[in-house]
Amino acid sequence: MDKLIVRGGNRLVGTVKTSGAKNAVLPIIAASVLGETPSHLDEIPKLEDVRTICGVLRYLGVKIDDSREHELTLDTTRISAYEAPYELVRTMRASFVVLGPLLARMGHARISQPGGCAIGSRPIDLHLKGFEALGAKISQDHGFVEAYAPNGLKGADIYLDFPSVGATENIMMAACLAEGTTTLENPAEEPEIVDLANYLNQMGARIRGAGTDVIRIEGVKHMHGAEHIAIPDRIEAGTYMIAAAMTHGDVIIENVLAEHQKPLLAKLREAGVLIEEDIDRIHVACPGELKGVNVKTLPYPGFPTDMQAQFMAMMTISQGRSTVMETVFENRFMHVVELNRMGANIATTGARGAIIEGPAKLTGCEVNASDLRAGAAMILAGLVAEGTTTIGNLHHIDRGYEDIVGKLKGLGADIQRISVKD
């Protein structure tokens, strides 16, 4: 069992490069199933979640060459199975996006109910309603979801009750091989949706409107492999921005697109952080005191829920009162207990609200990563805490941050990963 040891007090200075976006890469890898010839993907982060989705595809018969760092070649010429195994899918919710492309390609798909971080209810009903609208027959039993479309899928008009990222991705991929045109209203508008649509179009799909409130997919009969470079990870980049701000550092983040970061940049500036934007880099400095601000998470282009825990960590050491309202997930405050153990003054107001009184004097202690982004928040708190912070449950952090220890060390952080006996 590994743990992170963080000794606080060091000011972060230097340059760090963001990896490819985990939340774009995972559905893009799954989408490769639609192609009848091989695909080549670049800027693929070395993450546990990427290994998991590749394991799922290998089980389906896809031949994957990962011998080159940050690159994947996927030979999807032959798909030999239609079922994704429980032992892989249970560890990562994003595995469920295999269902759409597998159903479209094979006419039959069976996949375990998804797992992943315990940050609240993330029902799959929107995915299944979309598939049913496209003409699929759905059955659920013994923890599995099975979808049939023996006569192929048919285009349909679909309205999502909530702009779910996963449902948008799954339905969009399935509709690529459906007969006729599919109109998807109220879809997710995240940059990762646009990146997936761009990849699908390179594969021969006909998708218009990705990134807007209506996506139209004109079905095609066949799709082929393609080459694609994934967009930068906006959540990883945001985490390093906050690390720079909290340590009163001076950091340049490379491989980042400022247009994907507008809500976060606005709130950082409101908190007193100095931001300079360039084409593919952002310069972050914080010479003065941080000020408390109010944040409300919303679907894109609102403030990202995946940055809420990290931002709250920053608010614990900021001057004055801050509030956080979480509207996307109802169980995403598990980091509050751990931050309070370190000396933070955070009170929750129901399941979705929190009030932070600052500045608090954080003190290092033993904490755990309750989920992926909570783990990042623990690291950030450790960077500014007095003494030593020991962080457990690193498998959550490994799912979404490539070499976070090495990257923070490169900026001057005192952080190391150690192995301890269970």
Side-chain angles (χ1 to χ4, degrees):
M1 180 175 64
D2 288 2
K3 292 194 175 185
L4 287 184
I5 307 297
V6 186
R7 296 176 181 86
N10 288 12
R11 181 170 177 259
L12 300 190
V13 178
T15 301
V16 63
K17 182 183 177 183
T18 303
S19 300
K22 174 183 88 84
N23 291 337
V25 163
L26 299 179
I28 283 171
I29 292 173
S32 300
V33 169
L34 292 165
E36 297 175 12
T37 57
S39 290
H40 182 80
L41 307 177
D42 203 351
E43 288 293 332
I44 305 300
K46 297 169 67 175
L47 299 172
E48 194 60 40
D49 276 8
V50 171
R51 284 189 283 271
T52 299
I53 197 78
C54 285
V56 171
L57 263 62
R58 285 189 172 104
Y59 188 90
L60 299 175
V62 178
K63 297 177 181 178
I64 301 177
D65 180 359
D66 57 2
S67 58
R68 294 183 178 180
E69 192 168 62
H70 300 129
E71 296 183 34
L72 289 177
T73 299
L74 303 102
D75 186 349
T76 54
T77 306
R78 181 174 176 269
I79 305 296
S80 57
Y82 60 83
E83 179 177 324
Y86 166 76
E87 59 268 20
L88 289 174
V89 178
R90 71 177 177 85
T91 65
M92 187 185 72
R93 182 176 184 82
S95 302
F96 199 70
V97 295
V98 171
L99 188 62
L102 192 59
L103 172 64
R105 173 87 185 263
M106 303 290 286
H108 187 190
R110 187 171 188 262
I111 190 166
S112 168
Q113 291 273 10
C117 287
I119 58 174
S121 174
R122 292 184 282 179
I124 58 172
D125 60 314
L126 294 180
H127 302 240
L128 303 186
K129 286 179 182 177
F131 295 146
E132 287 178 328
L134 294 172
K137 303 297 182 184
I138 306 292
S139 64
Q140 298 184 66
D141 61 87
H142 304 293
F144 277 83
V145 175
E146 197 156 5
Y148 300 89
N151 299 317
L153 299 171
K154 310 292 182 184
D157 294 333
I158 302 170
Y159 177 85
L160 294 181
D161 295 330
F162 177 82
S164 161
V165 173
T168 300
E169 293 166 343
N170 238 338
I171 295 167
M172 188 166 66
M173 288 187 282
C176 286
L177 292 179
E179 181 183 330
T181 300
T182 297
T183 301
L184 186 55
E185 296 187 69
N186 195 36
E189 300 178 20
E190 273 76 356
E192 294 80 11
I193 298 293
V194 178
D195 203 33
L196 172 62
N198 288 340
Y199 176 57
L200 291 168
N201 283 339
Q202 290 173 55
M203 296 176 71
R206 296 174 182 170
I207 302 172
R208 291 174 296 153
T212 74
D213 59 359
V214 179
I215 300 175
R216 290 181 175 83
I217 307 107
E218 184 182 343
V220 298
K221 291 186 177 181
H222 299 282
M223 292 174 65
H224 51 77
E227 293 191 4
H228 186 74
I229 301 173
I231 59 172
D233 195 313
R234 60 193 171 100
I235 306 304
E236 183 193 10
T239 301
Y240 294 130
M241 289 182 214
I242 291 178
M246 289 179 70
T247 62
H248 296 284
D250 192 324
V251 174
I252 294 172
I253 296 101
E254 294 183 332
N255 191 36
V256 58
L257 299 175
E259 64 261 34
H260 295 170
Q261 303 283 0
K262 288 181 180 179
L264 176 61
L265 294 179
K267 286 298 174 180
L268 285 172
R269 287 187 170 112
E270 188 179 337
V273 182
L274 303 180
I275 306 285
E276 293 181 10
E277 303 174 25
D278 206 339
I279 296 173
D280 61 352
R281 59 169 55 190
I282 294 176
H283 182 191
V284 180
C286 187
E289 290 184 341
L290 288 163
K291 297 177 289 187
V293 298
N294 301 326
V295 164
K296 181 179 182 179
T297 67
L298 290 165
Y300 191 87
F303 190 92
T305 181
D306 278 352
M307 286 304 306
Q308 180 256 107
Q310 302 93 305
F311 203 87
M312 189 183 292
M314 185 178 79
M315 290 299 94
T316 65
I317 62 167
S318 301
Q319 298 286 333
R321 172 177 287 189
S322 305
T323 64
V324 173
M325 181 62 65
E326 173 61 59
T327 74
V328 180
F329 295 120
E330 79 281 5
N331 191 29
R332 204 158 201 182
F333 283 156
M334 290 184 287
H335 48 278
V336 169
V337 173
E338 302 291 73
L339 288 170
N340 281 344
R341 290 186 69 236
M342 297 179 71
N345 185 3
I346 308 171
T348 55
T349 56
R352 294 181 180 267
I355 299 172
I356 306 100
E357 299 286 355
K361 181 181 178 181
L362 301 183
T363 304
C365 63
E366 286 211 20
V367 293
N368 281 308
S370 55
D371 61 71
L372 169 53
R373 306 308 173 183
M378 294 303 104
I379 294 174
L380 295 175
L383 292 174
V384 297
E386 182 179 293
T388 300
T389 302
T390 304
I391 306 169
N393 286 355
L394 300 189
H395 62 280
H396 288 302
I397 298 171
D398 292 340
R399 289 184 48 235
Y401 290 93
E402 179 181 4
D403 191 26
I404 191 169
V405 172
K407 291 182 179 183
L408 288 173
K409 271 188 174 181
L411 296 174
D414 188 344
I415 181 173
Q416 61 179 318
R417 184 169 182 144
I418 63 169
S419 294
V420 296
K421 292 184 179 179
D422 293 341

